[in-house]
Short mmCIF file of all heavy atoms in Angstrom, two decimals:
data_model
loop_
_atom_site.label_atom_id
_atom_site.label_comp_id
_atom_site.label_asym_id
_atom_site.label_seq_id
_atom_site.Cartn_x
_atom_site.Cartn_y
_atom_site.Cartn_z
N THR P 1 0.89 -1.21 0.01
CA THR P 1 -0.02 0.06 0.05
C THR P 1 0.89 1.22 -0.05
O THR P 1 1.82 1.34 0.70
CB THR P 1 -0.85 0.06 1.20
OG1 THR P 1 -1.59 -1.11 1.23
CG2 THR P 1 -1.87 1.21 1.23
N THR P 2 0.57 2.23 -0.76
CA THR P 2 1.29 3.52 -0.85
C THR P 2 0.30 4.50 -0.41
O THR P 2 -0.75 4.63 -0.70
CB THR P 2 1.77 3.69 -2.34
OG1 THR P 2 2.47 2.66 -2.73
CG2 THR P 2 2.52 5.06 -2.39
N PHE P 3 0.94 5.41 0.43
CA PHE P 3 0.10 6.60 1.03
C PHE P 3 0.84 7.85 0.66
O PHE P 3 2.00 7.88 0.46
CB PHE P 3 0.13 6.60 2.53
CG PHE P 3 -0.59 5.29 3.05
CD1 PHE P 3 0.18 4.18 3.48
CD2 PHE P 3 -1.85 5.21 3.31
CE1 PHE P 3 -0.42 3.12 3.98
CE2 PHE P 3 -2.55 4.14 3.76
CZ PHE P 3 -1.73 3.06 4.20
N SER P 4 -0.03 8.84 0.40
CA SER P 4 0.55 10.20 0.22
C SER P 4 -0.16 11.12 1.27
O SER P 4 -1.30 11.01 1.52
CB SER P 4 0.28 10.69 -1.21
OG SER P 4 -1.11 10.84 -1.47
N GLY P 5 0.70 11.87 1.93
CA GLY P 5 0.21 12.70 3.00
C GLY P 5 0.18 12.00 4.23
O GLY P 5 0.76 10.83 4.47
N PRO P 6 -0.26 12.61 5.36
CA PRO P 6 -0.26 11.99 6.65
C PRO P 6 -1.17 10.84 6.78
O PRO P 6 -2.11 10.77 6.12
CB PRO P 6 -0.66 13.09 7.52
CG PRO P 6 -1.33 14.08 6.81
CD PRO P 6 -0.85 13.88 5.41
N VAL P 7 -0.69 9.82 7.64
CA VAL P 7 -1.61 8.68 7.94
C VAL P 7 -1.83 8.77 9.44
O VAL P 7 -0.93 8.91 10.29
CB VAL P 7 -0.67 7.36 7.61
CG1 VAL P 7 -1.58 6.14 7.96
CG2 VAL P 7 -0.41 7.38 6.10
N ALA P 8 -3.07 8.61 9.85
CA ALA P 8 -3.53 8.71 11.21
C ALA P 8 -4.20 7.44 11.64
O ALA P 8 -4.79 6.75 10.81
CB ALA P 8 -4.46 9.90 11.42
N SER P 9 -4.02 7.01 12.86
CA SER P 9 -4.61 5.83 13.45
C SER P 9 -4.91 6.03 14.84
O SER P 9 -4.10 6.49 15.63
CB SER P 9 -3.71 4.68 13.26
OG SER P 9 -4.22 3.47 13.93
N GLU P 10 -6.13 5.57 15.23
CA GLU P 10 -6.51 5.61 16.70
C GLU P 10 -6.04 4.36 17.31
O GLU P 10 -6.30 4.03 18.51
CB GLU P 10 -7.98 5.89 16.75
CG GLU P 10 -8.34 7.32 16.32
CD GLU P 10 -9.88 7.65 16.45
OE1 GLU P 10 -10.53 6.81 17.01
OE2 GLU P 10 -10.16 8.65 15.90
N ASN P 11 -5.67 3.36 16.49
CA ASN P 11 -5.27 1.97 17.09
C ASN P 11 -3.77 1.78 17.24
O ASN P 11 -3.41 0.71 17.62
CB ASN P 11 -5.90 0.91 16.14
CG ASN P 11 -7.45 0.98 16.04
OD1 ASN P 11 -8.02 1.26 16.98
ND2 ASN P 11 -7.94 0.81 14.84
N GLY P 12 -3.05 2.84 16.87
CA GLY P 12 -1.62 2.58 17.03
C GLY P 12 -0.95 1.81 15.94
O GLY P 12 -1.72 1.47 14.87
N PHE P 13 0.23 1.58 15.99
CA PHE P 13 0.99 0.78 14.93
C PHE P 13 1.64 -0.35 15.53
O PHE P 13 2.30 -0.27 16.61
CB PHE P 13 2.11 1.70 14.32
CG PHE P 13 3.04 0.90 13.56
CD1 PHE P 13 2.67 0.41 12.26
CD2 PHE P 13 4.42 0.65 13.86
CE1 PHE P 13 3.61 -0.29 11.53
CE2 PHE P 13 5.27 0.07 13.18
CZ PHE P 13 4.98 -0.53 11.90
N ILE P 14 1.26 -1.57 15.08
CA ILE P 14 1.79 -2.82 15.73
C ILE P 14 2.64 -3.54 14.54
O ILE P 14 2.04 -4.22 13.56
CB ILE P 14 0.70 -3.73 16.16
CG1 ILE P 14 -0.09 -2.99 17.25
CG2 ILE P 14 1.29 -5.11 16.75
CD1 ILE P 14 -1.29 -3.70 17.71
N PRO P 15 3.95 -3.43 14.54
CA PRO P 15 4.80 -4.02 13.58
C PRO P 15 4.87 -5.51 13.81
O PRO P 15 4.60 -6.02 14.94
CB PRO P 15 6.10 -3.34 13.72
CG PRO P 15 6.17 -3.02 15.16
CD PRO P 15 4.76 -2.60 15.51
N PRO P 16 5.29 -6.37 12.88
CA PRO P 16 5.58 -7.73 13.03
C PRO P 16 6.69 -7.87 14.09
O PRO P 16 7.69 -7.12 14.10
CB PRO P 16 5.94 -8.24 11.68
CG PRO P 16 6.09 -7.19 10.80
CD PRO P 16 5.58 -5.91 11.45
N VAL P 17 6.74 -9.02 14.90
CA VAL P 17 7.63 -9.29 15.94
C VAL P 17 8.49 -10.48 15.55
O VAL P 17 7.94 -11.55 15.15
CB VAL P 17 6.91 -9.42 17.30
CG1 VAL P 17 7.96 -9.88 18.37
CG2 VAL P 17 6.06 -8.33 17.69
N TYR P 18 9.84 -10.30 15.59
CA TYR P 18 10.75 -11.34 15.37
C TYR P 18 11.89 -11.32 16.43
O TYR P 18 12.26 -10.25 16.97
CB TYR P 18 11.27 -11.18 13.93
CG TYR P 18 10.41 -11.14 12.85
CD1 TYR P 18 10.00 -9.94 12.25
CD2 TYR P 18 9.96 -12.39 12.34
CE1 TYR P 18 9.13 -9.95 11.23
CE2 TYR P 18 9.00 -12.33 11.25
CZ TYR P 18 8.68 -11.12 10.72
OH TYR P 18 7.68 -11.11 9.75
N THR P 19 12.64 -12.41 16.47
CA THR P 19 13.89 -12.54 17.11
C THR P 19 14.96 -12.12 16.19
O THR P 19 14.63 -12.03 14.95
CB THR P 19 14.27 -13.85 17.72
OG1 THR P 19 14.39 -14.77 16.58
CG2 THR P 19 13.14 -14.35 18.68
N THR P 20 16.22 -11.81 16.52
CA THR P 20 17.26 -11.49 15.58
C THR P 20 17.46 -12.64 14.51
O THR P 20 17.52 -12.39 13.43
CB THR P 20 18.54 -11.21 16.36
OG1 THR P 20 18.38 -10.15 17.16
CG2 THR P 20 19.72 -10.85 15.42
N VAL P 21 17.45 -13.87 14.99
CA VAL P 21 17.58 -15.01 14.15
C VAL P 21 16.51 -15.07 13.16
O VAL P 21 16.65 -15.29 11.90
CB VAL P 21 17.68 -16.36 14.94
CG1 VAL P 21 17.66 -17.49 13.98
CG2 VAL P 21 18.98 -16.31 15.73
N GLU P 22 15.20 -14.78 13.60
CA GLU P 22 14.12 -15.00 12.67
C GLU P 22 14.14 -13.83 11.69
O GLU P 22 13.84 -13.96 10.42
CB GLU P 22 12.76 -14.85 13.46
CG GLU P 22 12.49 -16.14 14.30
CD GLU P 22 11.31 -15.87 15.25
OE1 GLU P 22 11.03 -14.74 15.73
OE2 GLU P 22 10.76 -16.95 15.63
N ALA P 23 14.52 -12.63 12.07
CA ALA P 23 14.52 -11.37 11.22
C ALA P 23 15.58 -11.54 10.12
O ALA P 23 15.34 -11.37 8.90
CB ALA P 23 14.80 -10.23 12.02
N ASN P 24 16.76 -12.15 10.47
CA ASN P 24 17.71 -12.26 9.44
C ASN P 24 17.45 -13.49 8.60
O ASN P 24 18.05 -13.54 7.44
CB ASN P 24 19.06 -12.55 10.21
CG ASN P 24 19.55 -11.30 10.79
OD1 ASN P 24 19.44 -10.29 10.29
ND2 ASN P 24 20.31 -11.42 11.98
N ALA P 25 16.60 -14.38 8.96
CA ALA P 25 16.24 -15.56 8.04
C ALA P 25 14.97 -15.25 7.15
O ALA P 25 14.61 -16.11 6.41
CB ALA P 25 15.90 -16.78 8.95
N LEU P 26 14.43 -14.02 7.30
CA LEU P 26 13.27 -13.63 6.47
C LEU P 26 13.79 -13.77 4.95
O LEU P 26 14.81 -13.45 4.61
CB LEU P 26 12.84 -12.37 6.74
CG LEU P 26 12.04 -12.07 8.04
CD1 LEU P 26 11.81 -10.63 8.32
CD2 LEU P 26 10.73 -12.89 7.99
N PRO P 27 12.77 -14.31 4.06
CA PRO P 27 13.19 -14.41 2.66
C PRO P 27 13.35 -13.04 2.02
O PRO P 27 12.78 -12.00 2.49
CB PRO P 27 11.98 -14.96 2.09
CG PRO P 27 10.84 -15.16 3.13
CD PRO P 27 11.43 -14.81 4.42
N ALA P 28 14.24 -12.92 1.09
CA ALA P 28 14.65 -11.68 0.40
C ALA P 28 13.45 -10.96 -0.07
O ALA P 28 13.42 -9.74 0.00
CB ALA P 28 15.62 -12.00 -0.67
N ALA P 29 12.41 -11.72 -0.59
CA ALA P 29 11.27 -11.04 -1.18
C ALA P 29 10.49 -10.15 -0.03
O ALA P 29 9.69 -9.34 -0.42
CB ALA P 29 10.35 -12.01 -1.83
N SER P 30 10.63 -10.51 1.16
CA SER P 30 9.86 -9.84 2.21
C SER P 30 10.70 -8.77 2.88
O SER P 30 10.12 -8.01 3.67
CB SER P 30 9.42 -10.77 3.35
OG SER P 30 10.57 -11.26 4.03
N LYS P 31 11.85 -8.53 2.47
CA LYS P 31 12.85 -7.50 3.03
C LYS P 31 12.71 -6.27 1.95
O LYS P 31 13.53 -6.27 1.07
CB LYS P 31 14.26 -8.06 3.08
CG LYS P 31 14.33 -9.04 4.17
CD LYS P 31 15.82 -9.50 4.29
CE LYS P 31 16.03 -10.54 5.30
NZ LYS P 31 17.42 -11.13 5.34
N VAL P 32 11.85 -5.39 2.24
CA VAL P 32 11.63 -4.18 1.35
C VAL P 32 12.36 -3.03 2.07
O VAL P 32 12.16 -2.77 3.36
CB VAL P 32 10.18 -3.99 1.25
CG1 VAL P 32 9.91 -2.72 0.42
CG2 VAL P 32 9.48 -5.21 0.66
N ILE P 33 13.06 -2.17 1.27
CA ILE P 33 13.77 -1.03 1.90
C ILE P 33 12.70 -0.22 2.73
O ILE P 33 11.61 0.15 2.28
CB ILE P 33 14.45 -0.21 0.92
CG1 ILE P 33 15.57 -0.99 0.31
CG2 ILE P 33 14.92 1.12 1.55
CD1 ILE P 33 16.26 -0.30 -0.92
N GLY P 34 12.95 0.07 3.98
CA GLY P 34 12.05 0.85 4.86
C GLY P 34 11.16 0.02 5.68
O GLY P 34 10.53 0.60 6.50
N LYS P 35 11.07 -1.28 5.49
CA LYS P 35 10.17 -2.10 6.27
C LYS P 35 10.58 -2.04 7.81
O LYS P 35 11.81 -2.09 8.11
CB LYS P 35 10.24 -3.56 5.86
CG LYS P 35 9.31 -4.45 6.65
CD LYS P 35 9.27 -5.80 6.06
CE LYS P 35 8.24 -6.62 6.69
NZ LYS P 35 8.00 -7.92 6.02
N ILE P 36 9.53 -1.85 8.58
CA ILE P 36 9.88 -1.76 10.06
C ILE P 36 9.37 -3.04 10.79
O ILE P 36 8.31 -3.47 10.46
CB ILE P 36 9.15 -0.50 10.64
CG1 ILE P 36 9.70 0.77 10.00
CG2 ILE P 36 9.31 -0.36 12.25
CD1 ILE P 36 8.86 2.06 10.30
N ILE P 37 10.25 -3.48 11.66
CA ILE P 37 9.84 -4.67 12.41
C ILE P 37 10.24 -4.44 14.01
O ILE P 37 11.05 -3.53 14.21
CB ILE P 37 10.49 -5.98 11.88
CG1 ILE P 37 12.03 -5.94 12.04
CG2 ILE P 37 9.96 -6.25 10.58
CD1 ILE P 37 12.78 -7.23 11.76
N TYR P 38 9.70 -5.24 14.84
CA TYR P 38 10.09 -5.18 16.23
C TYR P 38 10.89 -6.46 16.49
O TYR P 38 10.53 -7.54 16.12
CB TYR P 38 8.81 -5.19 17.14
CG TYR P 38 9.04 -5.10 18.56
CD1 TYR P 38 9.03 -4.06 19.40
CD2 TYR P 38 9.13 -6.44 19.28
CE1 TYR P 38 9.39 -3.91 20.68
CE2 TYR P 38 9.34 -6.49 20.61
CZ TYR P 38 9.46 -5.25 21.36
OH TYR P 38 9.71 -5.22 22.73
N VAL P 39 12.19 -6.18 16.93
CA VAL P 39 13.01 -7.30 17.20
C VAL P 39 13.23 -7.51 18.77
O VAL P 39 13.67 -6.60 19.43
CB VAL P 39 14.38 -7.09 16.49
CG1 VAL P 39 15.28 -8.30 16.67
CG2 VAL P 39 14.20 -6.83 15.07
N SER P 40 12.73 -8.57 19.23
CA SER P 40 12.68 -8.86 20.64
C SER P 40 13.98 -8.88 21.42
O SER P 40 14.16 -8.54 22.59
CB SER P 40 11.75 -10.03 20.96
OG SER P 40 12.53 -11.24 20.43
N ASP P 41 14.99 -9.07 20.66
CA ASP P 41 16.37 -9.19 21.29
C ASP P 41 17.46 -8.55 20.37
O ASP P 41 18.62 -8.91 20.47
CB ASP P 41 16.72 -10.71 21.46
CG ASP P 41 16.76 -11.57 20.15
OD1 ASP P 41 16.43 -11.03 19.08
OD2 ASP P 41 17.30 -12.66 20.20
N GLY P 42 16.97 -7.60 19.62
CA GLY P 42 17.83 -6.99 18.62
C GLY P 42 18.84 -5.85 19.10
O GLY P 42 19.65 -5.34 18.35
N LEU P 43 18.84 -5.51 20.33
CA LEU P 43 19.65 -4.40 20.87
C LEU P 43 20.44 -4.98 22.00
O LEU P 43 20.16 -4.75 23.17
CB LEU P 43 18.86 -3.21 21.33
CG LEU P 43 19.56 -2.00 21.70
CD1 LEU P 43 20.45 -1.39 20.54
CD2 LEU P 43 18.62 -0.95 22.16
N GLY P 44 21.38 -5.88 21.75
CA GLY P 44 22.26 -6.53 22.72
C GLY P 44 21.32 -7.40 23.76
O GLY P 44 21.47 -7.31 24.88
N GLY P 45 20.29 -8.01 23.19
CA GLY P 45 19.39 -8.83 24.00
C GLY P 45 18.13 -8.02 24.50
O GLY P 45 17.19 -8.73 24.89
N LEU P 46 17.98 -6.82 24.13
CA LEU P 46 16.88 -5.88 24.52
C LEU P 46 16.05 -5.68 23.27
O LEU P 46 16.61 -5.70 22.14
CB LEU P 46 17.30 -4.62 25.11
CG LEU P 46 18.10 -4.72 26.35
CD1 LEU P 46 18.69 -3.36 26.79
CD2 LEU P 46 17.39 -5.36 27.51
N PRO P 47 14.73 -5.43 23.36
CA PRO P 47 13.98 -5.21 22.26
C PRO P 47 14.26 -3.88 21.52
O PRO P 47 14.67 -2.89 22.30
CB PRO P 47 12.46 -5.17 22.85
CG PRO P 47 12.71 -4.94 24.34
CD PRO P 47 14.00 -5.35 24.67
N THR P 48 13.91 -3.76 20.21
CA THR P 48 14.23 -2.52 19.49
C THR P 48 13.37 -2.57 18.24
O THR P 48 13.04 -3.70 17.77
CB THR P 48 15.69 -2.36 19.11
OG1 THR P 48 15.90 -1.16 18.56
CG2 THR P 48 16.21 -3.45 18.20
N LEU P 49 13.05 -1.42 17.62
CA LEU P 49 12.49 -1.34 16.36
C LEU P 49 13.71 -1.38 15.42
O LEU P 49 14.75 -0.93 15.68
CB LEU P 49 11.73 -0.07 16.18
CG LEU P 49 10.35 0.04 16.83
CD1 LEU P 49 9.80 1.39 16.63
CD2 LEU P 49 9.39 -1.04 16.40
N ALA P 50 13.48 -2.08 14.24
CA ALA P 50 14.55 -2.17 13.29
C ALA P 50 13.92 -1.91 11.79
O ALA P 50 12.77 -2.14 11.55
CB ALA P 50 15.03 -3.53 13.28
N VAL P 51 14.82 -1.36 10.95
CA VAL P 51 14.43 -0.98 9.64
C VAL P 51 15.35 -1.67 8.67
O VAL P 51 16.57 -1.68 8.83
CB VAL P 51 14.49 0.67 9.38
CG1 VAL P 51 14.18 1.00 8.07
CG2 VAL P 51 13.66 1.34 10.51
N TRP P 52 14.78 -2.17 7.53
CA TRP P 52 15.60 -2.85 6.58
C TRP P 52 16.11 -1.75 5.67
O TRP P 52 15.50 -0.87 5.20
CB TRP P 52 14.74 -3.91 5.78
CG TRP P 52 15.62 -4.52 4.76
CD1 TRP P 52 15.48 -4.38 3.43
CD2 TRP P 52 16.54 -5.49 4.92
NE1 TRP P 52 16.44 -5.14 2.79
CE2 TRP P 52 17.06 -5.98 3.65
CE3 TRP P 52 17.23 -6.03 6.08
CZ2 TRP P 52 18.16 -6.81 3.49
CZ3 TRP P 52 18.21 -6.99 5.90
CH2 TRP P 52 18.64 -7.38 4.69
N ASN P 53 17.51 -1.74 5.47
CA ASN P 53 18.16 -0.65 4.61
C ASN P 53 18.71 -1.32 3.31
O ASN P 53 19.62 -0.67 2.72
CB ASN P 53 19.26 0.03 5.41
CG ASN P 53 20.42 -0.88 5.62
OD1 ASN P 53 20.51 -2.02 5.32
ND2 ASN P 53 21.46 -0.14 6.34
N ASP P 54 18.21 -2.35 2.98
CA ASP P 54 18.70 -3.17 1.67
C ASP P 54 19.81 -4.09 1.87
O ASP P 54 20.36 -4.72 1.08
CB ASP P 54 18.85 -2.19 0.61
CG ASP P 54 18.77 -3.03 -0.84
OD1 ASP P 54 18.03 -4.01 -0.93
OD2 ASP P 54 19.44 -2.63 -1.75
N SER P 55 20.46 -4.00 3.15
CA SER P 55 21.52 -4.98 3.40
C SER P 55 21.58 -5.50 4.83
O SER P 55 22.07 -6.55 5.23
CB SER P 55 22.88 -4.33 3.01
OG SER P 55 23.10 -3.14 3.86
N ASN P 56 20.97 -4.70 5.71
CA ASN P 56 20.86 -5.09 7.16
C ASN P 56 19.63 -4.55 7.82
O ASN P 56 19.05 -3.53 7.40
CB ASN P 56 22.11 -4.46 7.98
CG ASN P 56 23.39 -5.08 7.50
OD1 ASN P 56 23.66 -6.23 7.75
ND2 ASN P 56 24.27 -4.30 6.98
N TRP P 57 19.19 -5.23 8.90
CA TRP P 57 18.27 -4.62 9.87
C TRP P 57 19.01 -3.66 10.74
O TRP P 57 20.00 -4.14 11.39
CB TRP P 57 17.52 -5.67 10.58
CG TRP P 57 16.61 -6.54 9.88
CD1 TRP P 57 16.91 -7.89 9.46
CD2 TRP P 57 15.35 -6.24 9.31
NE1 TRP P 57 15.90 -8.32 8.63
CE2 TRP P 57 14.89 -7.42 8.60
CE3 TRP P 57 14.55 -5.10 9.37
CZ2 TRP P 57 13.74 -7.34 7.90
CZ3 TRP P 57 13.32 -5.14 8.65
CH2 TRP P 57 12.95 -6.24 7.94
N ILE P 58 18.59 -2.40 10.84
CA ILE P 58 19.41 -1.42 11.60
C ILE P 58 18.37 -0.82 12.65
O ILE P 58 17.24 -0.67 12.39
CB ILE P 58 20.03 -0.36 10.80
CG1 ILE P 58 18.92 0.44 9.95
CG2 ILE P 58 21.14 -0.98 9.98
CD1 ILE P 58 19.51 1.65 9.29
N ASN P 59 18.89 -0.47 13.82
CA ASN P 59 18.14 0.12 14.85
C ASN P 59 18.17 1.66 14.72
O ASN P 59 18.78 2.12 13.75
CB ASN P 59 18.55 -0.28 16.25
CG ASN P 59 19.96 0.04 16.62
OD1 ASN P 59 20.49 1.09 16.07
ND2 ASN P 59 20.64 -0.65 17.50
N SER P 60 17.60 2.29 15.61
CA SER P 60 17.45 3.82 15.44
C SER P 60 18.89 4.46 15.61
O SER P 60 18.96 5.61 15.15
CB SER P 60 16.46 4.43 16.50
OG SER P 60 16.96 4.14 17.73
N ASN P 61 19.84 3.85 16.00
CA ASN P 61 21.21 4.37 16.11
C ASN P 61 22.02 4.09 14.89
O ASN P 61 23.24 4.44 14.80
CB ASN P 61 21.93 3.72 17.41
CG ASN P 61 21.30 4.21 18.67
OD1 ASN P 61 20.79 5.28 18.82
ND2 ASN P 61 21.40 3.23 19.57
N GLY P 62 21.37 3.33 13.93
CA GLY P 62 22.09 3.01 12.76
C GLY P 62 22.91 1.80 12.80
O GLY P 62 23.59 1.39 11.82
N ALA P 63 22.95 1.08 13.90
CA ALA P 63 23.68 -0.11 14.12
C ALA P 63 22.91 -1.35 13.65
O ALA P 63 21.68 -1.34 13.87
CB ALA P 63 24.13 -0.24 15.59
N SER P 64 23.57 -2.28 13.17
CA SER P 64 22.92 -3.60 12.70
C SER P 64 22.37 -4.23 13.96
O SER P 64 23.01 -4.25 15.15
CB SER P 64 23.99 -4.44 12.05
OG SER P 64 23.55 -5.70 11.97
N ILE P 65 21.26 -4.99 13.91
CA ILE P 65 20.74 -5.62 15.00
C ILE P 65 21.67 -6.84 15.55
O ILE P 65 21.42 -7.32 16.56
CB ILE P 65 19.34 -6.15 14.83
CG1 ILE P 65 19.20 -7.16 13.65
CG2 ILE P 65 18.37 -4.93 14.61
CD1 ILE P 65 17.91 -7.90 13.54
N ASN P 66 22.60 -7.15 14.67
CA ASN P 66 23.56 -8.21 15.07
C ASN P 66 24.68 -7.71 15.96
O ASN P 66 25.41 -8.50 16.56
CB ASN P 66 24.17 -8.79 13.82
CG ASN P 66 23.19 -9.46 12.90
OD1 ASN P 66 22.28 -10.08 13.30
ND2 ASN P 66 23.30 -9.24 11.65
N ASP P 67 24.86 -6.38 16.06
CA ASP P 67 25.94 -5.74 16.77
C ASP P 67 25.57 -5.76 18.33
O ASP P 67 24.55 -5.85 18.79
CB ASP P 67 26.07 -4.36 16.38
CG ASP P 67 26.66 -4.21 14.97
OD1 ASP P 67 27.10 -5.28 14.45
OD2 ASP P 67 26.64 -3.16 14.48
#
């Protein structure tokens, strides 16, 4: 789905949830640049949001979730 302009929701945003191993094992076809996921152990064992940048899942600090 493509949106133009602001998107509003009264229900919040619930991204898909994965572990680091599961996120890295996702098939290439499901890794779209900008895709956001919740990684339960992606920040040194702590949860984080991650974004696919076409080569790695990165957290908000720009570090790979594998770091």
Side-chain angles (χ1 to χ4, degrees):
T1 304
T2 302
F3 298 97
S4 61
V7 177
S9 171
E10 294 179 9
N11 298 320
F13 169 68
I14 302 173
V17 179
Y18 301 100
T19 64
T20 300
V21 171
E22 292 169 333
N24 288 324
L26 287 171
S30 71
K31 294 178 179 176
V32 179
I33 295 173
K35 182 174 185 170
I36 299 171
I37 62 173
Y38 179 90
V39 185
S40 61
D41 62 351
L43 188 62
L46 299 173
T48 189
L49 289 176
V51 178
W52 181 250
N53 71 356
D54 201 31
S55 59
N56 291 297
W57 291 105
I58 58 171
N59 64 29
S60 61
N61 295 326
S64 168
I65 62 169
N66 297 321
D67 293 344

